[in-house]
Amino acid sequence: MIVYVTSQGAKIEKEGRRLIVHGKDFRQTLFASHLEQLVIVGNVSITTPAMHVLFAQGIDTVFMRTDGRFIGRLAQQEPANVLLRKRQFALCDDMPFRVKLGKSIIMAKICNQATVLARIKRSRDKPQALTAANRIRELAGSLEQATNCTALRGIEGKAAAIYFDHLHLGFTKDWGFRKRVRRPPTDPVNCVLSFLYTLLTNRCYAAIRRAGLDPQPGILHELSYGRASLPLDLVEEFRALLADTLTLSLFNLGMLHDRDFSSPKPVAPQPVVCEEDRHNEALKKVLSDPIGSMSDQPMAAEDQGDPEEGTTLPHIQEKAIILSQKALKTVISAFSQKMETSFFHPHASRDMTYAEAIVYQARELRRVIDGAAETYAPLTLR
């Protein structure tokens, strides 16, 4: 079970073997044994005993801002299989292996993007979308010539540019979306996409940990200080399949409206001066007083009591779009229900939910990494 706590001012406490989430007008009980992931959004506090429960149960606990930005997560113990982790890091230098696996991942992402555009053509009668889908499929054909991950990422980038240049054709209303803008999102569509990508990436992170893999060493994404690269690889096949299609549905079916989005007003930063800072500034003036210098020096303008003080230009914040609290809950609810939707998984040959599929794909990724399987079969739209 995945639980999202979004009520601002709520508090999470331990009560016996359970966790209690309570706010001004609600109280909810969480059974830690049933909890897979806890996502805390905004101003929600958690007690130390409650954290002890989360650590003891190994529950992935994620902290996010109210605008959907990822903050961090409670650090759990590293995967116990040190030999598998050693192999993961060794494979970072095995370019043929990375290219072979990376081609499968990028092929799935590109094909899913092309399928979404083809569906837009059929549902919205937009021939340009089909043209763009065909261009993306042509790029997919060039993956075979790639000999390194840089080339793979270059093809991925070209396909993404075409895809996002035409994704707006799938909306019944013009929401101002023309291209992918991440930080900060500058229109409602980018705002929802960024939030859903964050939720999805956190699901992939939890799945990677459940599969016993180290999140840091990736395949397509290079090693980077402080970055969990492997979840970023796994999430690629799910972006268009889950987040993009859900975004289209949320807007087109009237679940989100203009009033659900706002642009925060620029705020001029106010200098914070504490007593210690005043003391230090006064001390600097005492030590630089020309009366006690080794040579005769003219007094500086500030020492002469220059009446004109320096001015600070107001901070100009980039235009950003954020979700309202109500819309945030709407998107989270839709995402949670989408994750619990069942479908027939072609590679597993059985029905499973999308949440189960992410875990399944993470385990398939592990089989390739540990040598139990030769190829990786990602999930693609049909």
Side-chain angles (χ1 to χ4, degrees):
M1 179 174 65
I2 313 295
V3 173
Y4 299 86
V5 183
T6 60
S7 296
Q8 300 306 286
K11 188 174 184 179
I12 304 173
E13 297 180 312
K14 176 180 179 292
E15 187 178 277
R17 297 182 179 180
R18 302 167 298 175
L19 294 177
I20 305 297
V21 184
H22 61 86
K24 184 178 180 180
D25 54 0
F26 74 95
R27 176 185 172 90
Q28 184 174 353
T29 301
L30 303 178
F31 294 94
S33 58
H34 300 159
L35 199 57
E36 297 177 25
Q37 188 180 59
L38 179 65
V39 181
I40 298 173
V41 183
N43 180 28
V44 177
S45 61
I46 179 169
T47 64
T48 299
M51 279 196 245
H52 289 172
V53 173
L54 296 170
F55 280 123
Q57 297 291 329
I59 298 167
D60 184 42
T61 306
V62 179
F63 295 86
M64 298 174 62
R65 296 189 335 197
T66 53
D67 62 0
R69 288 286 298 277
F70 172 77
I71 298 174
R73 59 180 9 102
L74 291 183
Q76 302 288 340
Q77 287 187 339
E78 295 302 321
N81 192 337
V82 67
L83 296 179
L84 177 60
R85 295 176 65 200
K86 180 181 179 182
R87 179 172 175 78
Q88 280 188 257
F89 281 98
L91 289 174
C92 289
D93 297 323
D94 188 341
M95 188 56 68
F97 173 84
R98 291 177 58 196
V99 169
K100 180 181 178 181
L101 182 52
K103 285 179 180 178
S104 298
I105 295 172
I106 297 301
M107 177 65 77
K109 179 179 182 179
I110 288 178
C111 288
N112 285 340
Q113 289 175 335
T115 301
V116 169
L117 291 179
R119 291 181 179 181
I120 289 174
K121 189 272 175 187
R122 292 195 299 270
S123 62
R124 306 288 304 144
D125 192 23
K126 299 288 185 178
Q128 313 96 298
L130 182 59
T131 302
N134 291 333
R135 288 172 59 195
I136 290 176
R137 291 191 179 102
E138 289 175 5
L139 282 173
S142 65
L143 287 171
E144 284 304 316
Q145 284 71 47
T147 58
N148 55 61
C149 289
T150 301
L152 289 177
R153 291 193 296 269
I155 296 171
E156 175 198 14
K158 292 178 182 178
I162 297 172
Y163 173 71
F164 285 116
D165 281 348
H166 294 81
L167 187 60
H168 70 277
L169 298 172
F171 294 97
T172 57
K173 173 183 173 179
D174 186 358
W175 292 94
F177 176 81
R178 291 297 178 270
K179 63 179 181 178
R180 182 75 181 105
V181 181
R182 295 191 305 159
R183 296 180 182 176
T186 55
D187 58 80
V189 173
N190 269 303
C191 181
V192 174
L193 284 175
S194 291
F195 186 51
L196 287 176
Y197 287 163
T198 301
L199 295 179
L200 194 55
T201 301
N202 281 313
R203 285 291 188 99
C204 289
Y205 183 99
I208 290 293
R209 295 298 296 254
R210 288 183 63 180
L213 293 167
D214 190 315
Q216 300 296 323
I219 304 300
L220 280 166
H221 296 83
E222 304 291 343
L223 285 172
S224 180
Y225 185 85
R227 182 177 69 189
S229 296
L230 195 55
L232 298 179
D233 292 334
L234 180 60
V235 78
E236 297 296 1
E237 65 193 84
F238 292 102
R239 289 183 187 271
L241 189 153
L242 294 176
D244 299 355
T245 55
L246 183 58
T247 299
L248 287 165
S249 298
L250 283 167
F251 282 101
N252 290 344
L253 298 180
M255 294 296 293
L256 295 174
H257 308 277
D258 292 308
R259 62 179 178 272
D260 293 322
F261 302 89
S262 62
S263 182
K265 297 179 180 179
V267 178
Q270 299 297 321
V272 179
V273 182
C274 63
E275 192 62 34
E276 184 179 356
D277 292 334
R278 292 192 182 97
H279 175 78
N280 291 336
E281 287 300 319
L283 184 59
K284 287 180 182 178
K285 291 184 178 181
V286 168
L287 296 177
S288 61
D289 190 346
I291 294 178
S293 65
M294 288 293 291
S295 60
D296 192 14
Q297 299 177 0
M299 294 181 65
E302 60 178 319
D303 298 322
Q304 297 171 13
D306 190 345
E308 185 177 353
E309 298 181 357
T311 56
T312 303
L313 293 176
H315 173 64
I316 301 175
Q317 185 176 347
E318 289 185 70
K319 178 188 175 185
I321 298 295
I322 59 174
L323 279 162
S324 68
Q325 191 66 21
K326 179 183 177 181
L328 190 76
K329 293 180 179 180
T330 297
V331 175
I332 288 176
S333 177
F335 178 77
S336 298
Q337 292 181 45
K338 180 75 172 181
M339 290 298 100
E340 297 308 315
T341 302
S342 295
F343 72 103
F344 181 78
H345 195 300
H347 307 311
S349 299
R350 62 182 174 89
D351 288 337
M352 65 174 68
T353 65
Y354 285 110
E356 293 170 335
I358 292 175
V359 176
Y360 178 86
Q361 294 301 131
R363 288 172 176 161
E364 289 297 294
L365 199 58
R366 170 178 172 156
R367 295 182 69 240
V368 177
I369 290 172
D370 67 16
E374 290 188 5
T375 58
Y376 175 69
L379 193 60
T380 54
L381 285 167
R382 300 297 180 184

